[in-house]
């Protein structure tokens, strides 16, 4: 898998048994510096691969860009006088969006652990989004949502080797099709990568899309879904209180603990139906 995984010699211990030495696979983590027109904007720790999607998804989730046409070019470059390690990506934006990036005053320092921290005002985020989820009438059935964790897990090829990567995927709510799946050591990076794909594919605003993530639904992930116009976020684990608060405020459907045909709808219950269960009850009633 190239730079996505690395092989290392390890010692495996089992209490009361002999130590075994063997090769193991680790998820690769390397820094990526994102530049705009040659000027550094942010640094994130990520799993190499799909860096352009990661960068453009990040720019979208921060409100710096709102369409693919605003991104003129993106290329890896070498730090001055150094070998190209493909850990620096320079993005060229149209003049208007480049000016927006240049005017930013908040430091975009991120890590694979926390992502974009420090956003304290939901109102400020809502004001910067180009999309209004209240105009999105996407509704999905609980039976469909229940299938997403297995489908997500089935596409995690790097996780199979390492056990150390988060995943995010976009599904078409109307057809049920898995559109894109990305893995990364940072859950926020995995989401940025699928959002970057959606931007390039013309699926932003993300009307009719469902974002599924392999871990918890934190505030930052809810923010990214909203900024990309995605109406529903589902997660294998729990949401945070601020994620629920934001989802309620902006009209984002938020579903957590999607496991074994069960789930908890924390916000946007109008976006989730249980028609399959109603149909089953109707069939039983007719045959009784």
């Amino acid at each position: 898998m190239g730079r996505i995984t690395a092989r290392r010699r390890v010692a495996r211990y089992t209490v009361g048994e002999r130590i075994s030495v063997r090769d193991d696979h680790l998820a690769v983590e390397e820094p990526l510096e994102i530049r705009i027109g040659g000027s550094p904007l942010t640094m994130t720790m990520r799993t190499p691969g799909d860096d352009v999607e990661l960068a453009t998804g990040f720019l979208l989730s921060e409100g710096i860009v709102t369409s693919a046409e605003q991104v003129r070019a993106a290329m890896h470059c070498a730090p001055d006088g150094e070998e190209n390690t493909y850990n620096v990506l320079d993005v060229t934006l149209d003049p208007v969006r480049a000016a927006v990036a240049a005017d930013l005053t908040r430091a975009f320092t991120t890590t694979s652990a926390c992502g974009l921290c420090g956003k304290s005002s939901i109102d400020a985020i809502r004001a910067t989004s180009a999309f209004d989820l209240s105009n999105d009438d996407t509704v999905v059935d609980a039976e469909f949502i229940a299938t997403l964790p297995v489908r997500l897990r089935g596409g995690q090829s790097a996780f199979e080797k390492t056990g150390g990567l988060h995943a995010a995927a976009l599904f078409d709510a109307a057809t049920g099709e898995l559109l894109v799946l990305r893995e990364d050591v940072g859950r926020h990076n995995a989401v940025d990568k699928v959002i970057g794909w959606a931007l390039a594919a013309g699926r932003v605003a993300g009307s009719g899309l469902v974002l599924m993530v392999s871990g918890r639904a934190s505030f930052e992930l809810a923010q990214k879904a909203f900024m990309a116009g995605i109406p529903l976020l589902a997660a294998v684990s729990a949401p945070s209180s601020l994620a629920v608060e934001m989802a309620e405020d902006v009209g984002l459907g938020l579903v957590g603990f999607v496991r074994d045909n069960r789930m908890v709808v924390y916000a946007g219950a109008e976006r989730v139906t249980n028609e399959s269960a109603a149909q089953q009850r109707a069939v039983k009633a007719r045959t009784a």
Side-chain angles (χ1 to χ4, degrees):
M1 292 197 175
R3 297 171 68 211
I4 297 177
T5 64
R7 189 186 296 268
R8 291 291 185 273
R9 201 72 170 166
V10 300
R12 290 183 176 270
Y13 286 67
T14 301
V15 175
E17 299 182 11
R18 296 181 62 181
I19 299 171
S20 64
V21 178
R22 54 178 293 184
D23 286 343
D24 200 3
H25 289 87
L26 302 176
V28 171
E29 182 176 29
E30 293 182 358
L32 178 68
E33 179 182 313
I34 300 173
R35 297 180 180 180
I36 304 297
S39 298
L41 176 69
T42 187
M43 179 82 75
T44 186
M45 300 302 295
R46 96 307 189 191
T47 299
D50 307 302
D51 288 341
V52 174
E53 292 177 351
L54 169 57
T56 55
F58 172 82
L59 295 175
L60 174 62
S61 67
E62 288 298 325
I64 297 173
V65 303
T66 58
S67 69
E69 291 73 21
Q70 295 166 350
V71 181
R72 299 290 176 81
M75 64 178 294
H76 288 97
C77 58
D80 296 338
E82 299 180 21
E83 179 184 356
N84 193 347
T85 60
Y86 297 93
N87 285 333
V88 178
L89 188 77
D90 195 7
V91 181
T92 302
L93 303 179
D94 71 33
V96 173
R97 307 321 294 182
V100 171
D103 287 341
L104 290 175
T105 57
R106 185 170 69 87
F108 288 119
T109 302
T110 66
T111 71
S112 62
C114 77
L116 303 178
C117 305
K119 291 272 197 177
S120 60
S121 173
I122 293 174
D123 289 339
I125 294 170
R126 185 169 188 169
T128 58
S129 178
F131 312 112
D132 184 357
L133 293 183
S134 65
N135 296 326
D136 190 313
D137 59 359
T138 298
V139 177
V140 298
D141 193 72
E143 185 177 43
F144 166 67
I145 296 175
T147 69
L148 302 187
V150 174
R151 297 174 68 187
L152 184 73
R153 183 70 175 80
Q156 291 183 252
S157 56
F159 182 86
E160 283 293 330
K161 289 179 173 289
T162 67
L165 291 171
H166 294 283
L170 289 175
F171 294 85
D172 188 304
T175 66
E177 179 186 2
L178 169 59
L179 300 173
V180 60
L181 186 152
R182 296 288 183 261
E183 296 179 274
D184 200 279
V185 288
R187 60 173 60 87
H188 58 288
N189 289 336
V191 171
D192 277 339
K193 287 178 178 181
V194 299
I195 289 175
W197 175 91
L199 185 69
R203 296 300 300 261
V204 170
S207 178
L209 298 183
V210 176
L211 172 62
M212 180 73 202
V213 297
S214 61
R216 60 188 177 88
S218 62
F219 169 69
E220 58 176 328
L221 302 194
Q223 168 198 333
K224 290 178 184 295
F226 170 57
M227 292 297 289
I230 297 169
L232 198 147
L233 168 62
V236 171
S237 193
S240 68
S241 62
L242 192 57
V244 174
E245 182 181 342
M246 178 182 177
E248 290 177 337
D249 189 62
V250 304
L252 172 70
L254 181 56
V255 185
F257 291 112
V258 185
R259 306 172 186 173
D260 301 325
N261 290 323
R262 294 183 175 88
M263 65 200 70
V264 180
V265 180
Y266 290 89
E270 69 279 0
R271 295 195 182 278
V272 183
T273 68
N274 206 6
E275 293 179 355
S276 60
Q279 291 169 356
Q280 291 171 13
R281 288 195 297 270
V283 170
K284 289 180 180 179
R286 288 195 300 267
T287 57

